[in-house]
Amino acid sequence: MSNENSQNKKFDLKELPGKAMHKIKTFNWKEWAKDNIFTLVAMGGFVLLLIVFSFLPQVMRGPNVTFWRAAVLQRYIEQVTVYLILALGACFVYLMGSMDISVGYQVAVFATIFIAIVNAIGTAGAIPLALIVIVVLGLVCAVFNAFVGAYVKLPTVMSSVILMQLFSGLTTYLYGDSGYSARAIVVSLNILNETWVRVIVLVALIAIAYYLTNYTVVGKRAKAIGSNKLAAQQAGADLLKTRVLCYGIFALFLCVASVFAIARKDSFGEADSVSYQMDIMIMLLMGGMPLSGGYKGRVLNTVVGTLTYVVLNLGLSLCGVSAEYVFFVRALIFVIIVCLTCRKPGLLLPR
Amino acid sequence: MKTKFLKRALCTTLACATVAGLGVGLTACQPSDSETVRIVVGVQQTTGNNYNSMCNLLDALKDELNFEYTTTLVDRNADAALSTYQNQLLGGAQGIITMVDVDAATTRKIIEDCEANNAYYAGYMTDFANTFANTDSAQAENVEYILNSDAMLGAVTDGDIVRDGGTRGEFLFDAVVKTDARVVTLCRAPLYAYPVAATAIDRFKELVEEYNAANEDDFTIVESVGAADDGALEVGFSMQNVPDATVQDWKAKGVEAVIAVNSLGKKILTNVQTSAPEIGIYQIGWDDNIISAFPQYIKTLCQTPAETIIYPLIRVLNAVRGNSYADEPADVEDTLISGQYIYITSEEELEKARTSCMNFAEGNPVSASLISVEEIKSLLAGEEGASFKKLVDTISSWTSENVLK
């Protein structure tokens, strides 16, 4: 919608017929709100949670337990980092109406290989090499995902199922062989644990993802494929190329997330990322991202969803909610958000 | 005159304010016994007799010992565990009692967070000693950090490990040697999770060799398809049940008993029960789902009394309140103590356990506890006669022999 507006602004308004000029001149709030209702609801949910957690922990746990403290915000950013990077990458896949459920296992393998290479060489100089290796591996996976979708005619989620099995086996092999459930890294990546570094990286990645989805051919085509694959293809969108590029971008984000995941603890364990795929799916849904992809999907959905998911976990802990009820409360909030943001099939395609 | 008086008044006020401020500050730093201590217990599941027993005991103790507790779910996902504990510390937790021993690097991060929040970390039914001993060289620095941190208060293990699994191997051998079963196969949990399983298997094999050398009815150890180098089939966490094909293979090879080390009863039971009911399962562990199969299919049960929670609890309460024993160990390693398994091999023993230990009693009431609330209170530092040795001795006294008498 914003693209259409920006394109329209290039015309000389005086040259337009009266009705069209009126349409552009008067900003229609109703129309805008209708178009952005899911994002607005998701953002509203996030703001509501922030308001609730601003006072509820104090009520439940005493005056010292507040949300708006430097320590809490620091941990919040720490816990958001890996999730948000992964979700931003996954956004490109979801925009096409595809899904990837191998995220956690891919992160596990990339992180383990990264650690193995760095530990084998033993110096910080090994980091670029390790990064290149996992990026290449990620791009190979991207090409595989794209080809399976395009040529084998399987739903793209199936290629990620294959990758999930493959990487699950690899993870078991890598850890089972060593006899350890986690591997530590000998070169510290502590610089990545600085809050300012995390914030800069996150802002930069959000900006990159925003730019790519809104101002590049790959982003526009990904949305077009998600909206209507056939129409996109007939309009000249190269499905295979778009898929390779989207999965490629996803792989790059995944590699960055893997490095941040290692940096957080200076180690990586076999089971550390098993829940990522589900977490990311939930985050995107919470942010109002349509699972069918298309023009309604935005980077903003990803950001809001991730921030909401993490704030929910953090806030419930601050309130001292017991283990038995955490899942219940989380599920309840999730159901409410999904109910509010669910779409009718008829509204999936852009009008 | 007036100025002098004002100066004096100002000085006196300032002095009083300083003293009061220092007092308040010191009080804030050093919580008194009257302050409620906030504890979080990281558990792997919120069901089962062990969890219920632990909660019942903590509920009975919280008013007497002036603490409040919440349970939080933690699993092998160390990244999630770190986030969970971080959030709990931000929520005001002063002590973490964990049932999950994650890798040394993650433990170090949790301990660093504890230090930053003036909180403490202790383990319940966790085997830190083995976890730290079985790490790659890259973890050495982390282990050293943990073992030198004041925030680390030690742990009590699940079962009588005494830092090796020999006793488990001996128990399984003693149980099977009493029967006619002589063709056996070995199973164990993954070694990264239960390093003691290796020692248990080794000890069992040693005893078999000794027995075979002295007796005519030799034991035969049958190796399962896909067995590890030590001859035992590794039953991973992801394996829901031991496959039927494996059980059929055991059946074809004439296996009479499965020797399974570490909580594998449930994983082996289903297909053995349906396909090869003649095979006895001798296992280390307890699960609510296998009790109905005892003693027909499951021949042995083991469980650590939930009452051992008092070890990390007392350690945390002492530390938060700034109390310590006269014989407080200087070395963190000495605070990593061993619990005791209650080994059960017959229905009679199970009946006895039901009357003397919370885990086994119907409804897990505190009235069946191995220790009374008053006795627990008397173990706190500062109480008359309380000492670290007494605390450890109390835990050590809960042996099968004492509990089942």
Side-chain angles (χ1 to χ4, degrees):
Chain A
M1 194 68 190
S2 59
N3 289 338
E4 283 169 23
N5 284 342
S6 62
Q7 278 170 6
N8 285 338
K9 277 172 195 166
K10 288 174 190 167
F11 295 110
D12 186 352
L13 295 177
K14 286 172 190 168
E15 287 174 11
L16 290 167
K19 204 178 173 185
M21 202 169 86
H22 175 75
K23 227 179 178 180
I24 294 164
K25 267 183 170 178
T26 54
F27 182 74
N28 192 335
W29 281 100
K30 259 188 179 177
E31 192 72 20
W32 183 84
K34 206 175 166 186
D35 276 350
N36 294 282
I37 186 72
F38 305 118
T39 310
L40 285 174
V41 169
M43 285 179 77
F46 175 60
V47 173
L48 186 70
L49 282 178
L50 284 183
I51 294 169
V52 169
F53 291 135
S54 294
F55 67 86
L56 201 60
Q58 282 169 287
V59 174
M60 294 179 77
R61 309 277 287 175
N64 293 333
V65 184
T66 56
F67 184 84
W68 300 104
R69 279 182 286 156
V72 175
L73 297 177
Q74 205 178 334
R75 289 288 168 250
Y76 180 53
I77 291 165
E78 180 185 327
Q79 290 169 26
V80 156
T81 307
V82 174
Y83 279 138
L84 186 51
I85 299 171
L86 286 173
L88 285 170
C91 175
F92 288 86
V93 176
Y94 279 75
L95 280 179
M96 293 190 293
S98 302
M99 200 180 276
D100 194 302
I101 55 168
S102 64
V103 183
Y105 293 98
Q106 283 197 54
V107 169
V109 170
F110 294 169
T112 312
I113 290 173
F114 186 93
I115 292 173
I117 293 171
V118 172
N119 285 3
I121 298 170
T123 60
I127 291 173
L129 174 67
L131 205 54
I132 289 167
V133 171
I134 62 170
V135 165
V136 169
L137 194 59
L139 292 176
V140 170
C141 294
V143 172
F144 175 79
N145 267 321
F147 268 89
V148 169
Y151 290 119
V152 188
K153 304 291 179 199
L154 276 173
T156 42
V157 70
M158 289 312 293
S159 61
S160 72
V161 170
I162 298 167
L163 280 180
M164 185 181 79
Q165 297 292 335
L166 179 72
F167 282 99
S168 165
L170 256 173
T171 312
T172 310
Y173 171 76
L174 289 170
Y175 285 96
D177 196 41
S178 69
Y180 308 126
S181 62
R183 282 173 184 272
I185 190 163
V186 290
V187 176
S188 179
L189 302 171
N190 252 342
I191 182 71
L192 300 179
N193 288 330
E194 297 289 339
T195 305
W196 63 269
V197 174
R198 289 175 189 278
V199 171
I200 288 172
V201 170
L202 288 179
V203 169
L205 291 177
I206 291 169
I208 290 169
Y210 182 79
Y211 176 77
L212 289 175
T213 51
N214 291 301
Y215 299 104
T216 63
V217 175
V218 64
K220 287 174 184 170
R221 284 188 177 167
K223 287 180 182 178
I225 291 169
S227 296
N228 191 325
K229 195 168 78 176
L230 196 62
Q233 200 170 14
Q234 283 174 348
D238 185 334
L239 289 189
L240 179 64
K241 196 175 156 189
T242 309
R243 275 195 176 131
V244 168
L245 286 170
C246 284
Y247 274 104
I249 295 165
F250 174 45
L252 294 177
F253 276 81
L254 221 137
C255 292
V256 177
S258 303
V259 177
F260 270 93
I262 299 166
R264 190 177 177 212
K265 308 183 279 103
D266 281 337
S267 72
F268 199 87
E270 185 184 4
D272 286 6
S273 55
V274 287
S275 63
Y276 281 175
Q277 45 265 20
M278 277 309 173
D279 292 338
I280 283 161
M281 204 183 292
I282 292 168
M283 284 171 203
L284 292 173
L285 281 171
M286 274 184 160
M289 170 77 84
L291 279 178
S292 54
Y295 281 99
K296 300 267 179 182
R298 293 179 176 90
V299 168
L300 185 63
N301 298 129
T302 310
V303 178
V304 172
T306 312
L307 295 179
T308 307
Y309 183 80
V310 179
V311 90
L312 193 56
N313 285 340
L314 182 53
L316 288 174
S317 298
L318 291 182
C319 292
V321 178
S322 210
E324 292 96 329
Y325 306 109
V326 165
F327 285 103
F328 177 73
V329 174
R330 221 159 55 179
L332 190 72
I333 293 171
F334 178 63
V335 166
I336 292 169
I337 290 174
V338 170
C339 284
L340 288 172
T341 58
C342 71
R343 290 155 164 76
K344 290 174 188 167
L347 295 177
L348 285 175
L349 295 174
R351 278 162 287 169
Chain B
M1 188 72 180
K2 203 177 176 182
T3 320
K4 207 176 173 183
F5 171 76
L6 278 174
K7 266 185 183 173
R8 246 187 219 170
L10 191 66
C11 286
T12 316
T13 314
L14 273 174
C16 289
T18 312
V19 170
L22 274 171
V24 169
L26 283 172
T27 315
C29 292
Q30 202 68 76
S32 68
D33 287 10
S34 60
E35 264 184 56
T36 305
V37 176
R38 281 182 182 164
I39 293 170
V40 58
V41 187
V43 296
Q44 292 198 59
Q45 55 183 45
T46 53
T47 53
N49 65 69
N50 199 287
Y51 175 79
N52 293 334
S53 304
M54 181 193 80
C55 289
N56 289 348
L57 187 61
L58 291 177
D59 285 338
L61 289 170
K62 62 183 181 185
D63 290 334
E64 286 291 322
L65 305 187
N66 201 16
F67 69 91
E68 60 181 50
Y69 79 98
T70 48
T71 53
T72 187
L73 272 171
V74 183
D75 58 22
R76 290 172 56 238
N77 183 338
D79 196 57
L82 177 61
S83 298
T84 303
Y85 287 141
Q86 279 178 343
N87 295 348
Q88 292 293 339
L89 289 168
L90 292 170
Q94 292 161 293
I96 293 172
I97 297 176
T98 185
M99 289 189 76
V100 184
D101 46 350
V102 287
D103 67 288
T106 311
T107 305
R108 177 182 174 163
K109 290 284 172 191
I110 296 169
I111 284 179
E112 282 174 349
D113 272 321
C114 284
E115 288 169 343
N117 289 281
N118 294 320
Y120 297 90
Y121 191 65
Y124 166 53
M125 297 208 183
T126 48
D127 190 8
F128 286 144
N130 264 311
T131 305
F132 297 158
N134 290 280
T135 54
D136 56 9
S137 53
Q139 299 268 26
E141 200 186 316
N142 297 323
V143 173
E144 201 184 324
Y145 184 91
I146 296 163
L147 295 178
N148 284 298
S149 170
D150 290 338
M152 176 63 168
L153 299 177
V156 57
T157 61
D158 179 15
D160 48 357
I161 295 169
V162 205
R163 300 190 191 169
D164 78 52
T167 39
R168 298 180 183 199
E170 285 163 20
F171 163 69
L172 291 171
F173 181 80
D174 290 345
V176 78
V177 80
K178 289 176 196 160
T179 69
D180 295 331
R182 288 296 177 267
V183 183
V184 300
T185 191
L186 307 174
C187 295
R188 60 162 170 75
L191 295 183
Y192 65 77
Y194 292 100
V196 288
T199 334
I201 292 285
D202 286 347
R203 183 70 186 132
F204 183 87
K205 287 197 288 191
E206 247 175 53
L207 292 168
V208 163
E209 274 176 32
E210 283 170 23
Y211 182 88
N212 286 355
N215 297 278
E216 285 183 356
D217 56 338
D218 281 6
F219 273 98
T220 307
I221 297 177
V222 169
E223 222 172 80
S224 300
V225 176
D229 293 343
D230 60 358
L233 179 70
E234 187 168 288
V235 183
F237 290 106
S238 53
M239 196 187 284
Q240 195 58 40
N241 294 112
V242 168
D244 193 43
T246 305
V247 178
Q248 293 296 346
D249 180 49
W250 290 342
K251 200 175 173 181
K253 288 173 179 168
V255 170
E256 295 163 309
V258 181
I259 307 299
V261 186
N262 281 86
S263 309
L264 301 178
K266 194 172 64 174
K267 288 178 185 286
I268 296 169
L269 179 64
T270 312
N271 284 328
V272 165
Q273 208 170 349
T274 50
S275 307
E278 67 279 12
I279 298 177
I281 303 166
Y282 296 80
Q283 55 96 46
I284 298 287
W286 173 293
D287 193 291
D288 292 351
N289 298 343
I290 62 173
I291 300 307
S292 57
F294 176 81
Q296 198 181 350
Y297 306 104
I298 296 284
K299 305 289 181 185
T300 52
L301 296 170
C302 309
Q303 194 166 40
T304 307
E307 289 89 331
T308 52
I309 186 73
I310 67 161
Y311 179 77
L313 176 70
I314 287 175
R315 301 281 301 150
V316 167
L317 291 176
N318 286 348
V320 172
R321 289 173 181 152
N323 301 332
S324 61
Y325 299 115
D327 61 342
E328 191 74 36
D331 222 336
V332 172
E333 270 187 279
D334 294 331
T335 62
L336 305 175
I337 68 160
S338 180
Q340 298 289 338
Y341 258 146
I342 309 298
Y343 291 106
I344 294 170
T345 53
S346 67
E347 277 177 295
E348 294 74 42
E349 285 177 344
L350 182 59
E351 280 313 307
K352 277 182 191 169
R354 286 192 190 284
T355 59
S356 58
C357 190
M358 282 181 81
N359 300 47
F360 308 102
E362 198 73 43
N364 318 106
V366 178
S367 56
S369 172
L370 285 161
I371 185 165
S372 69
V373 173
E374 285 69 33
E375 284 170 318
I376 296 168
K377 212 174 170 184
S378 72
L379 291 169
L380 283 167
E383 295 291 324
E384 203 183 327
S387 67
F388 182 74
K389 188 181 177 303
K390 191 177 170 188
L391 176 62
V392 175
D393 287 347
T394 305
I395 306 287
S396 308
S397 68
W398 297 333
T399 59
S400 302
E401 201 181 29
N402 290 339
V403 172
L404 302 178
K405 70 181 173 190

